[in-house]
Amino acid sequence: MNRLAWALGLPALLLANAALAGPAVGEVEKQAMNVPAIAMFLAIVAVTLGITYWAATRTRSAADFYTAGGGITGFQNGLAIAGDYMSAATLLGLSSMVFAKGFDGFVYTIGFFVGWPIILFLMAERLRNLGKFTFADIASYRLDQTKIRSFAALGSLTVCCFYLIIQMVGAGQLIQLLFGLDYTLAVVIVGALMMIYVTFGGMLATTWVQIIKACLLLGGGTVLLLLAFAQFGFSFETMAARAVDLHKDGARIMGPGTLLADPVSAVSLSLGLMFGTAGLPHILMRFFTVADAKAARKSVFYATGFIGYFFMVVCVLGLAAITIVGADPQYFEGGKVGGKLVGGGNMAVMHLAKALGGDPMLGFLSAVAFATILAVVAGLVLAGASAISHDLFANVIMKGRASERAEVRASKIASLVLGTVAVLLSILFEKQNLVFLVGLTFGVAASANFPVLFLSMFWKGLTTRGALLGGLAGLASAVTLVILGPAVWKAVLGNPQALFPYDQPALFSMPTAFLVAFVVSKLDNSVRATHEAAAFDDQFVRAQTGLGAEGAAAH
């Protein structure tokens, strides 16, 4: 697989073993102008801009801007959360992994579902009851507001900025492949639209853009699935048998292969998937958009169902592509079956769409893939802007004395600045190998954000010093190990051998964060530490009952 899948942003693929990703992102062949795809994309953009205008008329307060006033239902929020996960990389990268490796591609879906029970049973209810706008509200509930919010904002911005660059670079290269537009123009279009969504519509617009995108992906994937099954008499057994007959690896594609042969890499990857998911700020923000803890649990329940269904669809499409695309010379460069796919290794499902539905289906999926990136980057920008305006500006700098109008204005300014920086950096990094940002993003989420958030909710003994030093230890170790690993030390810096042999740092950096937080908290005998431990009982009552929790805004 080429590195385009890494650049597009699917956590399961983004955390995959870098050695299997193929050559670094470099020149991407610009395709012919896809007029149907551009027309459909413009239609989607027109609808989402209309939603943004509607959302702008209903966004009057800080609660409206950050959390849609808490008025999103559990079902709607479940679709929106699923929209955050059902990215262009899911559609393209995962289906292409199944197309190339068979069952091993399916293995990567498992990591998502291992992480969801943690969020559903351990975190969703407490997140909604304790939080207001960002996860820093929870981490700093009984700890030092200034220090913990500053650290939480640092972790959030690190994750959001790096993830944003990955998404934007992937967007430009994807659009080169699918639409035939120039990279710079594509990046500017994505950047301009995401800034409009966030600045004018806030969380309400971002949520509905995600919902529409999720419905389009689910609907389009289902139609393509039915068209594919129709080729085999709606028999999965027939499809699988045909795929085994045609694939170069034969029956081996139906069993686990070499993708996770190294147990250390497998465990580190799994930890990053499980706990990194629970440390992503743009996902955590979604639990504050619903009315209560019950709706938060429903959100995760529905999201798990939607994501699971879509992942199964994508895996089946990859299997179908083996038989339909893999045997047709028109989809291979030079007409050589089994060679390089036209447009790159991630185009299997797009070729399948053209084979089954012609240019209209190809254009539709291309447009939805572009809209997918718009929705994801809008959520990332909003999460990053919230960390700046709510955590840093309103609570650290202004000490809680900022008016709602000033806070929202700061958030809009931060959105514009973040969006502009993301566009400029993505243009600068067009031909750079960005796989190290993937490991860094999820390493920070799993090693800095998650331990502080988890311990603040569940351990009475956590102190400000423990949280701060533990989180910083996780952050520093994750960054250091990624730099010393193969993705940077070898691939970027050109050294013959990496000082740290693994791409994913979570197995080492996350326990470091927990250990440092535990030891420092135990050794902290200050008066403040005593007060923080005593405040846990009040926090526990609110976390369990929701007494005093933020309610939905009246409209």
Side-chain angles (χ1 to χ4, degrees), residues 295-361:
R297 291 193 300 270
K298 284 184 178 180
S299 298
V300 185
F301 176 78
Y302 287 125
T304 304
F306 292 132
I307 294 169
Y309 170 74
F310 185 71
F311 268 55
M312 297 304 101
V313 167
V314 169
C315 288
V316 172
L317 291 179
L319 198 63
I322 294 175
T323 63
I324 297 173
V325 175
D328 194 334
Q330 69 172 309
Y331 299 116
F332 294 88
E333 291 185 1
K336 183 181 178 182
V337 174
K340 186 177 179 181
L341 284 174
V342 173
N346 292 288
M347 292 295 106
V349 74
M350 290 299 176
H351 293 320
L352 179 66
K354 185 169 184 179
L356 296 175
D359 284 335
M361 179 58 76

Side-chain angles (χ1 to χ4, degrees), residues 29-43:
E29 181 184 354
K30 181 180 174 181
Q31 303 298 296
M33 186 74 75
N34 190 329
V35 177
I38 292 176
M40 291 182 189
F41 172 71
L42 291 176

Side-chain angles (χ1 to χ4, degrees), residues 101-126:
K101 296 286 186 178
F103 180 79
D104 274 349
F106 174 76
V107 170
Y108 280 88
T109 66
I110 305 298
F112 273 98
F113 297 100
V114 175
W116 281 111
I118 295 173
I119 299 177
L120 175 59
F121 294 112
L122 293 181
M123 299 180 67
E125 184 172 344
R126 294 178 184 237

Side-chain angles (χ1 to χ4, degrees), residues 83-84 86-87 209-217 368 371-372 375-376:
D84 272 318
M86 297 188 307
S87 67
V209 169
Q210 286 284 22
I211 290 172
I212 290 173
K213 181 263 290 196
C215 291
L216 290 173
L217 269 179
V368 171
T372 294
V376 173

Side-chain angles (χ1 to χ4, degrees), residues 252-407:
R252 284 182 294 174
I253 67 169
M254 291 300 165
T258 59
L259 286 184
L260 296 177
D262 178 9
V264 176
S265 294
V267 173
S268 196
L269 165 66
S270 300
L271 288 175
L273 283 172
M274 289 170 58
F275 300 111
T277 299
L280 294 175
H282 66 296
I283 299 297
L284 296 175
M285 277 190 73
R286 295 228 157 265
F287 291 101
F288 311 136
T289 65
V290 292
D292 51 35
K294 181 179 179 182
R297 291 193 300 270
K298 284 184 178 180
S299 298
V300 185
F301 176 78
Y302 287 125
T304 304
F306 292 132
I307 294 169
Y309 170 74
F310 185 71
F311 268 55
M312 297 304 101
V313 167
V314 169
C315 288
V316 172
L317 291 179
L319 198 63
I322 294 175
T323 63
I324 297 173
V325 175
D328 194 334
Q330 69 172 309
Y331 299 116
F332 294 88
E333 291 185 1
K336 183 181 178 182
V337 174
K340 186 177 179 181
L341 284 174
V342 173
N346 292 288
M347 292 295 106
V349 74
M350 290 299 176
H351 293 320
L352 179 66
K354 185 169 184 179
L356 296 175
D359 284 335
M361 179 58 76
L362 174 63
F364 173 76
L365 282 188
S366 300
V368 171
F370 196 179
T372 294
I373 294 174
L374 283 178
V376 173
V377 296
L380 288 168
V381 167
L382 183 58
S386 300
I388 294 173
S389 59
H390 180 62
D391 296 326
L392 293 180
F393 172 73
N395 287 285
V396 174
I397 297 174
M398 299 299 294
K399 306 295 183 184
R401 296 190 300 269
S403 66
E404 283 199 356
R405 178 173 294 185
E407 187 174 339

